[in-house]
Amino acid sequence: MSKKKFITMQQYSVLLGGHIETIEEAGNHVAPYFEKLDEAIKSDGISKLSDQEFVEIATEFENTVEVYQDVVGKLNGMSAPVRFIGAHKNIQQLFTAYTSATKMMADSLDTKTKQVDLTAFTQSEKDQDIYLDKFFAQVRRIFTMGTK
């Protein structure tokens, strides 16, 4: 049985920072698609989106979910400095929950009928806000503790 290798705070910070950068890039990339869809929902204008636009939005949502699922796998495979193991577990759980909420939003889009399950979409949006805020609060806590 092999022992789990623990890493230094500096190594951990570099790895975690890279994953956070990936998360932020994916979020920034999908944001315009979300805004376009959100605007269409609020103005009761989903039918005004072309089929191609709706499929493009749905595809971007799915691509973002895939990026997030990849990050979940990487977070779950990461070691953490001994004093941050518990905090790292929290990060894993929060980002996994965030990814599930993001998938709920992607799944709320039906490209065949060009409809949005508004209940799932709205709940997903609320859940994403909660989990992402908690995730970044935990990340800030780790980086703050790591500099002490």
Side-chain angles (χ1 to χ4, degrees):
M1 187 162 138
S2 67
K3 290 184 178 183
K4 190 158 190 165
K5 183 179 182 254
F6 296 103
I7 62 176
T8 67
M9 185 59 199
Q10 182 179 5
Q11 292 167 322
Y12 180 75
S13 295
V14 169
L15 288 172
L16 185 58
H19 298 321
I20 290 167
E21 192 173 310
T22 299
I23 292 164
E24 290 176 338
E25 285 173 1
N28 290 338
H29 178 79
V30 79
Y33 299 95
F34 169 80
E35 289 166 9
K36 182 185 247 184
L37 180 62
D38 194 45
E39 175 72 27
I41 290 170
K42 288 177 179 168
S43 67
D44 203 22
I46 297 238
S47 61
K48 293 179 183 132
L49 292 173
S50 71
D51 291 349
Q52 182 180 346
E53 285 176 305
F54 193 81
V55 168
E56 184 179 23
I57 290 167
T59 301
E60 289 299 331
F61 280 24
E62 285 296 332
N63 291 343
T64 301
V65 168
E66 288 177 18
V67 170
Y68 291 165
Q69 287 171 335
D70 184 54
V71 171
V72 166
K74 289 176 179 173
L75 288 172
N76 289 341
M78 267 179 74
S79 297
V82 174
R83 69 186 259 217
F84 295 108
I85 291 173
H88 183 73
K89 289 281 182 215
N90 285 340
I91 282 176
Q92 291 170 323
Q93 292 167 349
L94 289 166
F95 197 71
T96 298
Y98 174 76
T99 300
S100 295
T102 303
K103 182 157 179 31
M104 181 194 301
M105 182 175 282
D107 291 347
S108 75
L109 306 183
D110 185 340
T111 55
K112 289 180 181 59
T113 61
K114 201 167 99 175
Q115 292 187 352
V116 178
D117 176 343
L118 292 177
T119 303
F121 185 90
T122 304
Q123 185 61 52
S124 168
E125 191 174 10
K126 289 176 188 172
D127 291 348
Q128 285 181 59
D129 287 344
I130 291 167
Y131 292 128
L132 198 60
D133 286 348
K134 288 181 179 183
F135 172 81
F136 278 114
Q138 187 68 37
V139 167
R140 281 190 299 278
R141 186 172 157 253
I142 287 173
F143 283 133
T144 301
M145 287 172 46
T147 60
K148 292 182 181 177

